[in-house]
Amino acid sequence: MKNILVVVDMQKDFVDGSLGTPEAQAIVPAVVKKIEEFNGDIIVTYDTHPENYLETSEGIKLPVKHCIKGTEGWELDKNVAEALSSKPYTAVEKPTFGSVDLPSVIRKITGDQDFTIELVGLCTDICVVSNALLLKANFPECKISVDSACCAGVTVDTHNHALSVMRMCQIDVI
């Protein structure tokens, strides 16, 4: 049995940058501990936007420049990067909330072995829930979980709503 940890968008802009929140900053130690103690394969997603982000469909609806590739805000939070520095991981850049490439990356890692998937990261109510639902649709028989103590949403209410949606879609919330 393989175990996969998906670390979603633990980037500077979401932690303490242009879209950072106190709640996002508060989960960093738990995410670091999870990475350090995890025994299995790690995948790290990067929210990745071009310089002309504000002209994109997402940028028009969320007019805050963030995670522009090559900027400091696109980089992982320094504590998360440090925890990952001693572990092999697969990076996946994604131009939007959910990564359509993530299922094929997982298939490549797991081959024909059984596996579990655990998700942690930011933001619970946008990118974590999007990726969790994509993965559940692609792997309906796989045990998929989200560690709520290692996630934060745009607000506490929307974080809790996203956790509720994931529970309803048979994703374990721990």
Side-chain angles (χ1 to χ4, degrees):
M1 171 81 69
K2 278 202 167 266
N3 297 308
I4 308 285
L5 177 65
V6 180
V7 179
V8 179
D9 300 354
M10 287 299 298
Q11 294 159 272
K12 182 167 179 43
D13 273 347
F14 291 126
V15 175
D16 60 6
S18 60
L19 292 172
T21 64
E23 293 82 11
Q25 293 168 38
I27 69 161
V28 170
V31 172
V32 165
K33 183 176 180 187
K34 176 76 69 173
I35 291 166
E36 290 172 346
E37 295 178 354
F38 189 76
N39 184 19
D41 293 277
I42 300 175
I43 300 170
V44 177
T45 68
Y46 286 79
D47 195 47
T48 304
H49 299 296
E51 188 58 45
N52 72 336
Y53 169 76
L54 295 177
E55 299 167 22
T56 67
S57 178
E58 180 183 324
I60 290 167
K61 292 184 178 185
L62 176 63
V64 178
K65 275 186 143 184
H66 66 280
C67 298
I68 307 301
K69 187 168 182 172
T71 66
E72 183 181 1
W74 180 79
E75 299 294 329
L76 292 173
D77 168 83
K78 67 180 179 177
N79 297 304
V80 171
E82 176 65 25
L84 288 165
S85 70
S86 63
K87 297 225 173 203
Y89 65 92
T90 303
V92 175
E93 294 181 14
K94 56 185 193 57
T96 189
F97 312 130
S99 171
V100 296
D101 296 329
L102 195 52
S104 63
V105 170
I106 290 173
R107 282 185 187 97
K108 187 175 181 181
I109 290 170
T110 59
D112 55 3
Q113 296 181 52
D114 288 335
F115 58 95
T116 65
I117 302 169
E118 181 175 356
L119 294 96
V120 299
L122 302 168
C123 295
T124 318
D125 43 356
I126 301 174
C127 294
V128 174
V129 69
S130 295
N131 284 290
L133 293 174
L134 268 166
L135 292 171
K136 190 64 177 174
N138 277 271
F139 306 113
E141 297 304 317
C142 179
K143 181 179 186 285
I144 299 175
S145 62
V146 173
D147 187 336
S148 63
C150 292
C151 294
V154 174
T155 69
V156 172
D157 282 345
T158 57
H159 164 80
N160 289 328
H161 290 305
L163 294 174
S164 178
V165 166
M166 289 186 275
R167 280 189 197 97
M168 292 301 297
C169 292
Q170 301 176 355
I171 294 164
D172 295 330
V173 177
I174 53 176

